[in-house]
Amino acid sequence: MRPYSPNQQDLLRIYEEGVWNSVDEVPNEIATIIKKFNESDVKKRPTTSEVLRYKLWLEQKYQSPYTGEMIPLSKLFTPAYEIEHIIPQARYFDDSFSNKVICEAEVNKLKSNMLGYEFINKHHGEKVLLTGGKCVEIFSIESYEQFVKDNYSHNPAKKKKLLMDDIPEQFIARQLNDSRYISKLVKSLLSNIVREEGEQEEMSKNVIVCTGNVTDRLKKDWGINDVWNKIILPRFLRLNELTGSDRFTSPNANGNLIPAMPLELQKGFNKKRIDHRHHAMDAVVIACASRNIVNYLNNESASKNAKISRYDLQHLLCEKQKTDDKGNYRWFIKKPWDTFTQDVYRALQDIIVSFKQDLRVINKTTNYYQHYENGKKTMISQKKGDSWAIRKPMHKETVFGEVNLRNIKTVTLKEALKNPKAVVEKDLKKKLKELLAQKLNEKQIKKYFEDNKDIWKDVDLKKIKIYYFSKETKDRFFAVRKPLDSSFDRKKITGSVTDTGIQKILLRHLEANGNNAESAFSPEGIEAMNKNIIELNDGKWHQPIYKIRVYEKADKFAVGQTGNKSTKYVEAAKGTNLFFAIYETEQEDKNTGEIIKKRSYATIPLNVVIDRQKRGLSSAPKDENGNLPKFVLSPNDLVYVPTKEEIANGKLSSFLNPIRIYKFVDASDSTANFVPQSSANILFSLPKEIAKSFCLGENLIQNEYGLGSPQAKNQRAITGEMIKEICIPIQVDRLGNIIKKL
C-alpha cells in the first residue's frame, strides 16, 4: 500500500467529507480499514471482502443502486447488506469488480437471477420490508436510469452492465471461445492416448472430430431416432393409461405411435434427455462414424448451394432411396451392417446404468505444512491424528428452541379428577376442588352434579375440557422466529404462532383487511398494523411486530450435550438421509402356521451415523429386537424387484430384466423412494393448482410417477409392487455388468 499516493489521498478525502461527518460514532470495523496502512499490525488487517464492500460503498456514494437509500456505515459489514452481481453468475460467470454492487439483502433476494435493469423493469415501485422494520421502495425506471448516469459516469463498464436489459452477443462469443479452447485441449489429451508410434502431428489420426449435425444425420439415416422412440414409448403409453387419454402419443407418417407431449407441458421438454441411455446411443453412433463419413457430410454441408464435389465418397458410403412415387430420391448413408438398427435396440434395452457411489461421511484429517529442505520449499503432510473431518452438512443453519405448548383436550370426569387444576372452565374447576377437599370420591361427585342439574346444566361429565402441555405427550414442538409476511393466513396464525397475544393482534388486523393476507401483511399492511397496534391490543402498549415465533411438530436433535447447546435443536440438512436400513425377522403366520419373513425399516439420522462410524461400527444400529439390518441402502444404490415366480422359487434367474431394476433416491422415516434405473428426468412435474387447470384425464396427475404428488419419485414399481418390501440389492461395475446379488 502507498498511503501518500494521490489515489489513497482521494479515497481518504471522500471518506472524510462524505462519511465521517454523517456518523457520530465510527464502528471498529471501519476504524480497522482506515488503519490498514499499518502493515505491521496483522491482526487489524481487513479481509478481502471487507475491502471490497468498502470500495463498492464509496463508488456508489453510500447509496443502494436499486432503491437509492443510504447505506449506513454502521451496517455496511453486517448481513443486512450483501455484495450483488449485476449480471447473475447463474446466467454468465463474471466475478469482476465491474459486475458487483452492494445492496440490501432482501432486495438482493428479490432480484434473484435477473439483470439489474430487468429487475427494475419488473419490480419498479414495489416496497420491500427490511430486517428491523424499515420499508424501502424499488426505483422507478426513470429514477434508476438517472441514478446510474449520475453515479457511474466514471465507470462506463459498470454503467453499461447496470443498464443492460439482455445479455449481448459478445458475452456468448466469449463462452464459445472458451468451449473452443476446451475442445482443442481435449483433442490434444486424447491424441496422447491413441497416438501411434512415429506420429508427430499435434492431433493423432485416430482422433476423429465431428459436430452434432453429423451424429444427427447418422441417427436419422440409420434409423436410430426410431429406435429411441421405441425405447421411451412405454413411459408415454403408461401416462395415457393413467390419464385415460391419448395425449402422450401421436401417430407418425407410417401410422405407428410415437411419444408426444401435450402443448401445455412442452416448455423445457427434451425427449432425448429423459433417459440415461442416450449417452450410450450417442456413443454407438460416434463409434461407427468413420473419417470418410465425417469428410463427406462436412463437404455436403459446405456445398449446399453448389453441386457436390465428392462423388467418390457419395458412391462409397451412400445408397439411393426413393422418397415418393414421383421419381424423387435421396442419398442415405449406409448402415455399418445390415442388422445395425436391431442390434442397437437390443443393446440399449439390456443396458444397466452405472451410478458412481462416492459416499463419504467422515474421514481422518490430514494437515499439510510448508518445510524447507536443501533450500527448496516442500509440502509435508502430518500424521493422521484423532481429528475427524465430516464430509456432509451436520444440519440446517436454522436453530430451533423446544416449546411446551398449552393445548385443550376433552376427558371424562375420572381423568379430570386426577388434575383438577387443569380444568378449563373456572367455576367447574373451583367446585371440583371444593368437593375433593371434602374427600368425596368419583361416585359421590357424580351424584352431586346429578342432584344439582339445574345449576350445572351446561356441564357434561363425559366431556370436560382440560389444559395439557405438549411435553406430557410424545409430540415435540420446536419454535423459531420468522419474518412476518403474506403467508400468514388465519390457518397459519392459529396453528403455528406460539404467543396467543400476538395471535389476537394478527387476527384482528387480518379481519380488518377482509381476511386477505396478501394486503394485510404486505410491507404497507405491516406498517399500518404497527401504527394501530395499541388499538388492536385492547388499548395496551405493544412492541411493533416484524418477526414472529412460530412452532412446528418435527423430529429434531440437539446441537450438543453440554451447556446451552443441549437446548438448541436443529434438523437434518437436505440430502443427508444417507442410510436406509431394512431389517428382516421371521414370524409365524397365525392362519397357516408357516414361518414368514417380515421386514421393518428405519432411516438412520446423520448424527447417529457419524457417532457410530467414529467408533468403528457399522452405519446402521440394531433394531428394537436386537437384529442387525439385512442390508442398508444409500442414494444411487441399485435394487432388483423380483417376479412372483422368483420369489416362489427362492432363486433369481440368470438374467435380470433391466426394467425391474430401480435406483434408490432417498428416504424419510420408514419411507423409501426409488426411480427406474434408466430414468434421467421425469416427463413433467406440476404444482397442484396448475395440474387442476388442465386436468390430465379423470385423475389429477402432478408428475409421471406419483399420483397426486409433486415428488419426482415413487415407492412402488411400475408393475405395482411396493419396492422396499421385496427388493434385493445388486452391485454393478462401471460398465453396467452385475457383479453381486444379495
Side-chain angles (χ1 to χ4, degrees), residues 208 210 214-215 218 222 224 281-294 317 333-337 340 344:
I208 303 173
C210 65
V214 172
T215 55
L218 292 177
W222 292 348
I224 303 302
M281 176 181 68
D282 289 340
V284 168
V285 173
I286 292 170
C288 294
S290 65
R291 189 177 296 278
N292 278 342
I293 290 176
V294 174
L317 302 171
I333 297 174
K334 297 176 185 176
K335 295 179 183 179
W337 58 87
F340 176 76
V344 170

Side-chain angles (χ1 to χ4, degrees), residues 14 53 129 190 217 222 255 434 455-456 509 533 645 739:
I14 293 170
R53 280 173 179 255
L129 186 66
L190 290 175
R217 170 70 182 273
W222 292 348
E434 290 177 4
I455 301 174
W456 302 97
H509 178 64
I533 198 164
E645 292 75 16
I739 56 177

Side-chain angles (χ1 to χ4, degrees), residues 274-481:
I274 65 173
D275 195 299
H276 287 299
R277 291 173 290 184
H278 77 267
H279 298 293
M281 176 181 68
D282 289 340
V284 168
V285 173
I286 292 170
C288 294
S290 65
R291 189 177 296 278
N292 278 342
I293 290 176
V294 174
N295 288 341
Y296 167 69
L297 291 177
N298 287 341
N299 177 262
E300 186 184 57
S301 177
S303 308
K304 281 182 179 177
N305 300 322
K307 291 184 178 180
I308 191 165
S309 58
R310 294 301 303 269
Y311 288 107
D312 56 334
L313 289 179
Q314 186 182 65
H315 287 88
L316 176 68
L317 302 171
C318 304
E319 59 184 4
K320 191 186 296 185
Q321 292 183 9
K322 289 185 178 180
T323 56
D324 53 37
D325 55 359
K326 297 179 181 178
N328 295 315
Y329 63 88
R330 179 172 169 263
W331 290 95
F332 285 83
I333 297 174
K334 297 176 185 176
K335 295 179 183 179
W337 58 87
D338 292 340
T339 59
F340 176 76
T341 306
Q342 296 86 335
D343 293 344
V344 170
Y345 174 71
R346 283 192 295 270
L348 293 179
Q349 269 206 319
D350 293 343
I351 283 177
I352 298 175
V353 181
S354 172
F355 298 92
K356 185 178 181 181
Q357 183 57 274
D358 186 19
L359 184 64
R360 287 192 304 164
V361 178
I362 61 171
N363 61 270
K364 290 281 188 179
T365 56
T366 302
N367 295 322
Y368 294 87
Y369 63 93
Q370 291 182 344
H371 177 69
Y372 282 91
E373 283 186 11
N374 301 323
K376 291 184 67 177
K377 187 188 293 185
T378 57
M379 295 294 291
I380 305 295
S381 64
Q382 292 178 335
K383 292 182 179 178
K384 291 185 178 180
D386 294 329
S387 298
W388 292 91
I390 298 172
R391 299 301 180 185
K392 297 291 178 182
M394 287 283 288
H395 52 78
K396 290 182 180 178
E397 294 178 355
T398 307
V399 178
F400 294 79
E402 189 171 10
V403 290
N404 193 14
L405 298 175
R406 190 179 77 168
N407 296 303
I408 296 175
K409 65 179 178 180
T410 303
V411 298
T412 61
L413 176 64
K414 184 178 179 180
E415 288 296 317
L417 292 175
K418 292 178 182 178
N419 185 14
K421 293 180 181 179
V423 174
V424 175
E425 211 277 305
K426 292 182 179 179
D427 291 336
L428 178 60
K429 175 168 60 176
K430 184 178 178 181
K431 178 53 68 177
L432 288 177
K433 285 183 179 180
E434 290 177 4
L435 296 174
L436 287 171
Q438 298 171 19
K439 296 186 178 180
L440 299 181
N441 59 31
E442 183 188 347
K443 287 184 179 180
Q444 292 170 328
I445 293 173
K446 275 185 180 179
K447 188 175 183 308
Y448 168 80
F449 283 103
E450 288 173 1
D451 294 341
N452 296 275
K453 279 184 179 178
D454 53 335
I455 301 174
W456 302 97
K457 59 183 178 181
D458 294 331
V459 173
D460 185 350
L461 297 180
K462 293 180 181 178
K463 296 180 180 179
I464 299 176
K465 291 183 178 180
I466 66 168
Y467 292 115
Y468 74 98
F469 290 90
S470 57
K471 284 190 177 180
E472 298 171 9
T473 65
K474 292 183 179 180
D475 296 334
R476 301 181 71 190
F477 295 88
F478 301 89
V480 66
R481 290 179 65 80

